Each structure stands twice: as structure tokens, then as C-alpha cells.
Amino acid sequence: MNALNRKDLLDIKTLSSDEILLICETAKYFKDVFTRDIKSVPVLRGKTVYSLFYEPSTRTRLSFENAAKMLSANVIHVPITNSSVAKGESLIDTARTLEAMNADYIVIRHAAALAPHFLAKNIRASVVNGGDGYHSHPTQGLLDVFSIIEKRGSVKGLHVGIVGDIKHSRVARSDILAFTKLGAKVSVCGPSTLVPDEFKHYGIDITYNFDELLPKLDVVNMLRIQRERQKGWLFPSIREYHLLYSLTEERFNKCKPDINVMHPGPVNRGVEIDDAVVDGPNSIINEQVTNGVAVRMAIFYLLAGGTQLQEEAEGNV
Ligand code: CP
């Protein structure tokens, strides 16, 4: 297999473990491009990528745009607040407008779950999901497993803890699927108000006691408290949250010495994780960001048919 035989990349649920591994293998190749003097390859030459972000983003948007530029695509960001969306244009009409201007790929982030799936059914361009509501953030799930494979060789048999605001987290949902598909054991942990019973359906462990879980973990992924998605207070105070669920220096000292500390960003320093741990030797948070570019390059490439690397190796491009 050297291509994703699909038009769109919408979620982790519909990817097989072989497809996830193919994306990771391909990302490894693209990461080498970062070390070249000329950091670009002609894989998407002549193609146009629109980035359509209805929600704020730093990492995902810039990472997709950077990835597409390194593949030599024409990259156009749609400034939502200054676009005709502000005049009431519908999602589908905006997407069809982009398609009328030669869109080959549309990368979308939207507050509504399944908005990318809806677009994918209604336009010819490839749709890549940059995050939809609480539902899915597939490229984050992929870059997270890639980052651990890069560190450890495999995720199989590792115990991965995902901690914090699980309820509102598309990252948690995508990471659970990506890590379990590749054979990791996943536990989720947080206050009971932020870890709903629906997560039992994933066949993972649920715990509310971080201090019991933490020393058992090979990987810990600390999630941000998403105050913008919470209606009302789901825990008594930030102080109490910090007391029970923050990865403090004191807690970190009780971890396995080789634990990998992850965070999808943006980080609330001093809330879910302390400065010293964010910037400490076990943190792979910045590597996750770098790897995000390689993984997104791999996704564009594999959706395009995945043949060009071979042609490039043979000197045909
Ligand atoms: N991890 C992540 O999705 O970050 P952004 O919201 O900055 O894109």
C-alpha cells in the first residue's frame, strides 16, 4: 500500500491500522525534507489548498499551510471574519466558491461535528478535517501516535494516559482511537464531570484518581481545560483542579523516568501542567508540533495518490 484510497481524511475511526502506519512511515520520509537546504518537494505543484478555519487555531492551521507550501502547493487562507461568511453565506456555498476557484484540497476546522463529512459528500475537492466540534481531530491523533512511534519504535503495549477535559476534547476521541488501533492500552482520567460514561464504549479504562494512574503510565497526554466549551463550572475551582489533576513537578517525580509528556497545545501553564514539566526533558510538546507538519505533508501526499516520492527518487520530477 502506498496511497490512501480515499478522497478525504475525515476521522481516525475510518482509518485502518495499516493506513495509520502508512501515514507515519510517509511522515518519517517528509521529516527528512526539513533537514535539506531547500525545504520543499514538488509533490503538490500546480495544486491549490484552501484553509477554511471557522474556529481559532495556531498549530493546526499554520502546520497545514506550512505542509502544503513545503509540497509546493498554492496555499490560500480564507479569512473567515472578513469573508462573506460574515454576510451569512452558508458553509456549502463558501466551499463551492472555493471549488470554483480551483480548490484541490479544503482543510476545514468547524465548531459543528461532522461539518467536514458534510462537505466531503458535497464537493469534488479533497476535504481534510482540522477539527470538528468535540468529534474528531484526526491529524492530531496521527501526529501523536507518530511522535510516540518516533520515540519508542511502536505504541504497541504502551500504557497511554489522557488526562483532563475529556468530555469536550476532540483530541481525546482521536487519540483513543489512534492509540488503541495500534495496540496501546489507554486510560482516561479527569473529574467525573469531564469524563462522561460515553467513553466506556471505547473499551478503555476510566479513572478519576490521577495519583494512582500516573506512576503506571509510559505516556501522559495532558489536555487543556476548554473553558470556552464549558457551560458553567464543571469543577469547583481552577485551584482544586490543579490540586487533583495538574501534572505538577511533585507528581512528575513519581512517574516512570522515561515517561513521554505530551500536550496538544495551547498549554495553560500552571493549570493542567507546570512550567518545569512543559519545558523539562521528558516533554515532547514541541516535537509534536514539528511532527504535525510532516504528518500533514504525508496526508496531502497520500491523498494525491502517493506515487510522486518514487518518481522523485527515480529523478523523474
Ligand atoms: N492542537 C491544536 O489543535 O492546536 P490549535 O488549536 O492551535 O490548532
Side-chain angles (χ1 to χ4, degrees):
M1 186 166 57
N2 67 352
L4 292 171
N5 290 320
R6 56 180 71 229
K7 177 173 84 67
D8 313 291
L9 194 295
L10 299 175
D11 51 38
I12 301 282
K13 193 170 121 189
T14 52
L15 289 177
S16 67
S17 54
D18 282 348
E19 286 175 309
I20 295 172
L21 290 172
L22 173 68
I23 291 167
C24 292
E25 271 302 306
T26 311
K28 203 161 75 179
Y29 170 87
F30 281 117
K31 210 172 163 187
D32 284 346
V33 175
F34 301 177
T35 62
R36 297 183 188 174
D37 285 343
I38 297 172
K39 294 178 182 53
S40 70
V41 285
V43 167
L44 293 189
R45 192 167 49 198
K47 303 285 185 198
T48 302
V49 176
Y50 284 93
S51 78
L52 184 60
F53 277 62
Y54 287 80
E55 283 190 330
S57 169
T58 300
R59 276 147 289 272
T60 311
R61 190 195 124 194
L62 297 179
S63 178
F64 269 116
E65 293 178 7
N66 193 359
K69 283 182 180 167
M70 288 172 75
L71 295 175
S72 312
N74 304 316
V75 181
I76 301 170
H77 169 63
V78 183
I80 290 292
T81 48
N82 289 324
S83 74
S84 288
V85 172
K87 301 176 194 165
E89 187 171 62
S90 70
L91 172 61
I92 190 67
D93 281 343
T94 299
R96 286 193 175 132
T97 302
L98 304 185
E99 198 160 54
M101 290 188 282
N102 303 316
D104 295 293
Y105 295 86
I106 296 178
V107 180
I108 178 170
R109 170 171 287 190
H110 202 285
L114 301 176
H117 299 64
F118 168 73
L119 269 200
K121 283 200 185 102
N122 287 287
I123 60 172
R124 285 185 313 279
S126 286
V127 175
V128 184
N129 185 356
D132 60 323
Y134 308 165
H135 174 242
S136 190
H137 192 346
T139 57
Q140 183 73 45
L142 292 164
L143 77 88
D144 286 347
V145 291
F146 174 71
S147 298
I148 296 303
I149 291 171
E150 189 180 53
K151 287 279 164 209
R152 305 248 186 183
S154 164
V155 305
K156 203 177 170 104
L158 296 179
H159 192 172
V160 178
I162 306 173
V163 181
D165 184 355
I166 308 294
K167 178 185 169 88
H168 300 99
S169 177
R170 54 194 173 210
V171 175
R173 289 171 176 82
S174 293
D175 274 9
I176 289 167
L177 290 170
F179 278 104
T180 54
K181 279 187 183 217
L182 297 188
K185 172 184 163 78
V186 174
S187 298
V188 292
C189 178
S192 56
T193 47
L194 294 178
V195 188
D197 280 352
E198 91 176 64
F199 282 85
K200 288 186 179 142
H201 302 308
Y202 287 101
I204 56 171
D205 288 346
I206 294 180
T207 174
Y208 311 107
N209 189 329
F210 190 30
D211 288 307
E212 258 177 38
L213 174 68
L214 191 57
K216 300 176 190 161
L217 298 178
D218 301 298
V219 176
V220 65
N221 193 4
M222 300 303 300
L223 301 181
R224 185 173 67 87
I225 291 297
Q226 302 191 55
R227 297 304 305 279
E228 75 278 15
R229 294 187 193 278
Q230 294 181 12
K231 295 178 187 73
W233 283 90
L234 293 170
F235 47 86
S237 67
I238 294 285
R239 193 176 156 275
E240 181 158 324
Y241 184 86
H242 182 264
L243 207 63
L244 293 173
Y245 293 105
S246 180
L247 187 52
T248 57
E249 246 186 304
E250 192 187 348
R251 278 203 177 92
F252 175 75
N253 290 332
K254 295 177 187 153
C255 291
K256 289 185 183 174
D258 62 346
I259 191 168
N260 299 120
V261 176
M262 310 179 86
H263 193 302
V267 174
N268 292 314
R269 286 172 181 259
V271 178
E272 68 267 2
I273 187 166
D274 277 5
D275 277 343
V277 187
V278 174
D279 302 322
N282 294 63
S283 168
I284 61 167
I285 296 170
N286 286 333
E287 287 165 74
Q288 287 174 264
V289 175
T290 304
N291 289 338
V293 179
V295 163
R296 289 169 178 120
M297 289 172 85
I299 288 165
F300 283 131
Y301 165 74
L302 291 167
L303 287 175
T307 54
Q308 198 128 353
L309 288 185
Q310 204 173 339
E311 287 182 29
E312 191 192 31
E314 289 165 3
N316 296 331
V317 291

